[in-house]
Amino acid sequence: MAKKELEELKNDYQAVFDENGNVKGCGRALCIKLMYSLKKFAPTADLGSFDTGFMNIETIKAEYHRLISQ
């Protein structure tokens, strides 16, 4: 994974989740942006709805932590 893409993923994640892993009141657009960032690296993961911004929170957290720990 390229350093630039990793930084983008981290920024997107931090825009949606606080330091305790709780979802912020960030809005649908940022949730969708995070899902698209993750989808690049986890194409088969069920991240949620890209139309509504409804997230599969546990999957997103698990995939994010899996990716950044590599």
Side-chain angles (χ1 to χ4, degrees):
M1 177 180 334
K3 184 176 180 175
K4 179 181 175 183
E5 292 169 325
L6 182 59
E7 284 302 315
E8 181 180 347
L9 178 59
K10 285 181 180 180
N11 289 337
D12 292 344
Y13 187 86
Q14 291 172 353
V16 174
F17 293 96
D18 67 16
E19 60 277 350
N20 297 317
N22 300 310
V23 178
K24 298 178 182 179
C26 60
R28 178 172 59 159
L30 289 177
C31 295
I32 293 169
K33 187 174 187 300
L34 172 58
M35 289 191 292
Y36 275 114
S37 291
L38 274 172
K39 195 70 167 174
K40 295 175 193 174
F41 307 105
T44 60
D46 178 15
L47 301 174
S49 171
F50 288 85
D51 294 327
T52 65
F54 180 79
M55 299 182 296
N56 185 341
I57 294 170
E58 294 308 315
T59 301
I60 288 175
K61 287 180 180 181
E63 290 297 328
Y64 171 76
H65 291 294
R66 179 184 67 81
L67 289 166
I68 64 162
S69 66
Q70 293 180 358

